[in-house]
Amino acid sequence: MYDPTVARLTYRALLGRRRALILGVLPLLLIVISVAVRGLTGADDQTASDVLGGFGIATMVPIIGVIAGTGAIGPEIDDGSVVYLLSKPLKRPTIIFTKLIVAIAVTMVFSAVPTLIAGLILNGNGQQIAVAYTVAALVSSIAYSALFLLLGTVSRHAVVFGLVYALVWEALFGSLVPGARTLSVQQWSLAVAHKLAGGDLVTSDVSLPTATVLLVAVTVLATWYAGQKLRTLKLAGEE
């Protein structure tokens, strides 16, 4: 189910100079904000939770997921270079699974690592805030990568749709409309963080069992469907 050659090509595409710079902007901004907040307010648990939740989990992680998930396959479909992979004796679900693993790894590195660093800067992991939000970034990276990889497989406008989901559904409706929060990867990941953090500094509208089931279901279904859609891509001259 995992092909090293496909993985190497995908890493090269995602971590090229231009895309790597884009991926690094938000993590760097989070760390700069954390340094500034710590300098101005000192170590405060509530402030740390607000920064990590409001900017890290709500904005940075989904946007990085969009860039990594759609970028793992979307550009290859757009420019036709995916034909090279499809012409090889590889099962198409194997291609999808390999690209998913790469997208997850890239999303985790560029979201979970800076989240941990920012949390340690803000309050030194008081009440397990830094660890809780880091775990939230890790689990949401998996679901986001699967969702946005699927978008990259089915649509030529995957980045636009991904950003709409990340910035409109997750950030806007997810914070204003109670019902929408249940269908939010952000809220599912916060349910996991709530279990780890001390007190009620991290909250979620979704219970941990429900969040766990939804995270697994969305990841598995999105990955499966992306593999099925890739099967329908026909090579030139293919019957």
Side-chain angles (χ1 to χ4, degrees):
M1 291 297 293
Y2 180 85
D3 186 84
T5 301
V6 174
R8 184 174 65 255
L9 293 172
T10 307
Y11 275 119
R12 186 180 301 172
L14 285 179
L15 299 177
R17 181 178 301 177
R18 181 180 178 183
R19 196 176 293 273
L21 287 174
I22 296 173
L23 284 168
V25 169
L26 289 177
L28 180 60
L29 182 57
L30 174 62
I31 293 174
V32 170
I33 290 173
S34 300
V35 171
V37 170
R38 177 61 185 266
L40 293 172
T41 66
D44 181 78
D45 294 340
Q46 185 62 59
T47 301
S49 181
D50 291 342
V51 172
L52 296 178
F55 183 80
I57 301 301
T59 302
M60 181 187 72
V61 180
I63 291 179
I64 290 175
V66 169
I67 297 171
T70 61
I73 196 169
E76 291 177 309
I77 294 177
D78 291 342
D79 63 21
S81 61
V82 72
V83 170
Y84 169 79
L85 288 179
L86 300 183
S87 65
K88 300 298 180 182
L90 289 171
K91 294 181 179 179
R92 297 184 184 184
T94 297
I95 296 174
I96 289 295
F97 184 77
T98 301
K99 288 183 173 292
L100 175 63
I101 295 299
V102 173
I104 290 173
V106 171
T107 305
M108 284 182 171
V109 168
F110 282 90
S111 61
V113 173
T115 297
L116 178 61
I117 294 172
L120 293 175
I121 291 171
L122 286 164
N123 77 331
N125 195 37
Q127 297 199 56
Q128 295 293 307
I129 294 297
V131 170
Y133 278 108
T134 299
V135 172
L138 289 172
V139 297
S140 59
S141 292
I142 299 172
Y144 282 133
S145 296
L147 279 174
F148 297 136
L149 180 65
L150 172 61
L151 275 180
T153 306
V154 302
S155 174
R156 291 182 178 272
H157 306 289
V159 174
V160 175
F161 291 138
L163 289 175
V164 168
Y165 174 83
L167 298 178
V168 177
W169 182 266
E170 291 272 11
L172 183 59
F173 285 97
S175 62
L176 299 177
V177 182
R181 297 171 188 167
T182 306
L183 301 177
S184 167
V185 175
Q186 175 189 336
Q187 291 297 319
W188 304 342
S189 66
L190 288 176
V192 179
H194 173 71
K195 184 70 175 180
L196 298 173
D200 293 321
L201 290 170
V202 183
T203 60
S204 173
D205 291 339
V206 183
S207 67
L208 181 59
T210 301
T212 302
V213 170
L214 290 172
L215 283 166
V216 173
V218 165
T219 301
V220 171
L221 289 175
T223 304
W224 172 82
Y225 191 59
Q228 297 305 305
K229 293 301 293 184
L230 195 62
R231 288 178 186 272
T232 65
L233 291 177
K234 301 293 184 180
L235 301 177
E238 186 176 340
E239 296 298 327

